[in-house]
Amino acid sequence: MIVCVAVVGHQNNPLYIQSFTDADDALKLHHIVHCSLDVVDERVNNPKKSGPTLNETFLGLLYPTENYKVYGYLTNTKVKFILVTTDLDVRDADVRNFFRRFHAAYVDAVSNPFHVPGKKITSRTFAERVSTIVKSFGLSSAG
Amino acid sequence: MPPAAPRSGDAIFASVERVNAELFTLTYGAIVRQLLTDLEEVEEVNKQLDQMGYNIGIRLIDEFLAKSNVSRCVDFKETAEVIAKVGFKMFLGVTASVTNWDADGTCCSIVLDDNPLVDFVELPDTCQGLYYCNILSGVIRGALEMVSMKTEVTWIRDMLRGDDAYELQVKLLNQVPEEYPYKDDE
């Protein structure tokens, strides 16, 4: 089950954080997202020696912690999407699919002429689309 | 040579040069944003958009009449139908319908199925009085004024404000007969 999604700007400023459980402390989730940014920077600065990867956007599992798994996705403009989930068995394809749809929703939100790049995303449509994507992620991986 | 038959909106839309819809939407969004930054008052921006639309409309009407070959409209009802079916289709690529005629036949509503100007747009709380698509009301007003009809065009429903469709009310105020600038006896 997805616990939290976050969008972080290229200066590591948070643009959107949404948690989907009431049980966990929001602060702890923010802390996890913050720590994962370090891992992202490390992955970006020290690419694996297996040659230039074609799809450099999906960073994969960043690090497993306690009972959470954290996945990362980097766009060309250095905007990072972070996904925190409690699922034990998560298929790679599902996560990639999730990020692809999330990226599409993000692009539509940023195309709003009233959105200021670098400021938080306040679009209600974006929030609704994100919850839809999150809900369907849970369903597809349970099936 | 017999006069050419009026062409349907779809036919003309298919034959004119087109531009990428996202480019158009983003350009219009940038215009509105810049107007808001420059003028700061939402009412002023509404007026400016209407004025810009008016300037477009008075020029657009010639292009419209040249490309579409519509014959002279008999009454205002036909005019409104032509605007909705041919005009909107030709220039925006959207279909519109005409509803809500009043008893005199001078006031109607044009309902747009979708509106390419407003893709991706969400009005922030600071701009709640803004008529984002006000340029369209100016265009209609300007175009009709060039064919001797003085009209008043207002927005009845606007999806950006929470309604379920885009509805423009077009009200014919009067028809100005064509005036010749020279007196006959001079």
Side-chain angles (χ1 to χ4, degrees):
Chain A
M1 196 190 57
I2 292 188
V3 160
C4 169
V5 290
V7 180
V8 181
H10 62 102
Q11 285 158 342
N12 285 347
N13 48 326
L15 296 175
Y16 183 80
I17 297 187
Q18 180 70 47
S19 53
F20 294 97
T21 60
D22 308 316
D24 292 315
D25 187 16
L27 197 58
K28 192 165 86 165
L29 293 170
H30 289 202
H31 179 70
I32 293 178
V33 168
H34 198 74
C35 293
S36 60
L37 294 177
D38 287 333
V39 184
V40 171
D41 284 337
E42 194 190 297
R43 288 270 182 97
V44 164
N45 293 332
N46 306 322
K48 297 205 178 88
K49 290 187 187 138
S50 55
T53 45
L54 285 174
N55 184 12
E56 291 157 351
T57 52
F58 180 62
L59 300 168
L61 183 64
L62 295 177
Y63 69 112
T65 162
E66 311 175 2
N67 37 357
Y68 299 127
K69 283 182 171 184
V70 183
Y71 288 89
Y73 182 98
L74 183 68
T75 68
N76 304 60
T77 49
K78 300 272 187 279
V79 172
K80 308 158 189 79
F81 303 150
I82 308 287
L83 167 70
V84 182
T85 175
T86 51
D87 276 341
L88 294 174
D89 55 343
V90 176
R91 278 185 305 219
D92 199 49
D94 283 343
V95 185
R96 281 181 196 265
N97 195 22
F98 172 90
F99 276 129
R100 196 175 39 82
R101 291 160 76 187
F102 193 78
H103 195 171
Y106 170 75
V107 163
D108 287 345
V110 167
S111 304
N112 181 5
F114 295 105
H115 172 261
V116 180
K119 290 265 158 56
K120 295 200 182 219
I121 298 176
T122 51
S123 153
R124 258 164 282 140
T125 326
F126 178 67
E128 281 166 21
R129 280 177 78 173
V130 167
S131 354
T132 315
I133 299 174
V134 165
K135 283 199 192 80
S136 65
F137 177 81
L139 289 171
S140 68
S141 56
Chain B
M1 186 177 107
R7 302 164 63 190
S8 74
D10 293 313
I12 310 171
F13 185 63
S15 65
V16 294
E17 283 181 21
R18 278 170 277 177
V19 74
N20 182 310
E22 280 193 19
L23 177 64
F24 178 64
T25 306
L26 291 174
T27 305
Y28 185 69
I31 292 176
V32 176
R33 272 292 269 128
Q34 197 57 45
L35 281 174
L36 276 167
T37 312
D38 290 341
L39 300 171
E40 286 171 16
E41 281 272 311
V42 166
E43 269 315 307
E44 276 299 315
V45 176
N46 285 341
K47 267 194 249 171
Q48 271 292 349
L49 285 174
D50 190 71
Q51 186 59 32
M52 284 165 64
Y54 179 79
N55 290 332
I56 294 176
I58 58 179
R59 294 165 173 84
L60 203 69
I61 182 71
D62 282 317
E63 162 130 10
F64 173 71
L65 291 172
K67 292 244 166 78
S68 67
N69 285 323
V70 290
S71 51
R72 201 176 182 81
C73 291
V74 171
D75 57 2
F76 187 62
K77 283 198 181 189
E78 203 179 324
T79 310
E81 282 291 329
V82 164
I83 293 176
K85 295 280 174 288
V86 186
F88 270 102
K89 184 72 197 167
M90 184 172 152
F91 289 110
L92 283 181
V94 297
T95 48
S97 49
V98 186
T99 53
N100 283 354
W101 280 105
D102 71 343
D104 306 330
T106 55
C107 182
C108 67
S109 290
I110 297 184
V111 180
L112 295 170
D113 293 338
D114 76 309
N115 191 343
L117 292 174
V118 302
D119 287 337
F120 318 127
V121 176
E122 278 182 52
L123 284 185
D125 298 324
T126 50
C127 306
Q128 281 305 317
L130 180 68
Y131 285 113
Y132 189 83
C133 313
N134 219 25
I135 208 169
L136 293 179
S137 53
V139 169
I140 296 179
R141 187 169 65 89
L144 287 176
E145 195 165 310
M146 286 290 117
V147 283
S148 326
M149 283 181 251
K150 268 195 148 28
T151 51
E152 193 182 297
V153 187
T154 46
W155 284 100
I156 305 286
R157 285 189 285 169
D158 190 344
M159 273 174 99
L160 293 176
R161 293 173 165 215
D163 299 316
D164 52 350
Y166 293 100
E167 187 176 332
L168 273 168
Q169 185 187 57
V170 183
K171 194 177 157 76
L172 176 67
L173 297 173
N174 59 329
Q175 274 193 296
V176 184
E178 293 193 11
E179 282 180 13
Y180 292 98
Y182 308 106
K183 291 209 187 97
D184 283 340
D185 50 5
E186 277 188 25

